[in-house]
């Protein structure tokens, strides 16, 4: 297992251009922002599945907080 070697903080908001490119059966690249100077993530299939699981949990929690604040 390899740990990330760079720490970066990025905020992605509405209308931010987002693209993906499937490199092969185990690699996908995601690009955010402008075409000339994008912020990029590269995942293998296992890491992408793990990230999607975490992202789904985060969305559920965000939705719950939104519903609670609307009450």
């Amino acid at each position: 297992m390899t740990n990330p070697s760079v720490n970066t903080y990025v905020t992605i908001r509405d209308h931010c251009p987002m693209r993906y490119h499937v490199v092969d059966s185990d690699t996908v690249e995601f690009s955010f922002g402008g075409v000339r100077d994008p912020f990029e993530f590269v995942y293998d299939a296992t890491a992408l599945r793990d990230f999607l699981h975490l992202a789904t949990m985060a969305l559920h929690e965000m939705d719950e907080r939104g519903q609670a604040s609307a009450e």
Side-chain angles (χ1 to χ4, degrees), residues 3 5 7 13 15 21 27 35 40 46 51-54 63 68 71:
N3 292 320
S5 59
N7 292 322
R13 301 276 183 211
H15 309 294
H21 170 70
T27 307
V35 175
E40 298 175 305
T46 300
F51 179 77
L52 290 173
H53 176 75
L54 286 173
D63 289 342
E71 295 174 352

Side-chain angles (χ1 to χ4, degrees), residues 30 43 47-58:
F30 290 94
Y43 289 94
L48 181 58
R49 284 184 183 92
D50 291 345
F51 179 77
L52 290 173
H53 176 75
L54 286 173
T56 300
M57 292 186 340

Side-chain angles (χ1 to χ4, degrees), residues 7-21:
N7 292 322
T8 303
Y9 181 89
V10 175
T11 300
I12 300 171
R13 301 276 183 211
D14 288 342
H15 309 294
C16 176
M18 299 181 200
R19 297 165 302 285
Y20 74 92
H21 170 70

Side-chain angles (χ1 to χ4, degrees), residues 22-28 43-46 49:
V22 176
V23 177
D24 57 34
S25 65
D26 194 46
T27 307
V28 64
Y43 289 94
D44 68 18
T46 300
R49 284 184 183 92

Side-chain angles (χ1 to χ4, degrees), residues 58-68:
L59 280 171
H60 286 297
E61 185 175 334
M62 292 166 73
D63 289 342
E64 288 173 1
R65 290 182 183 196
Q67 291 171 359

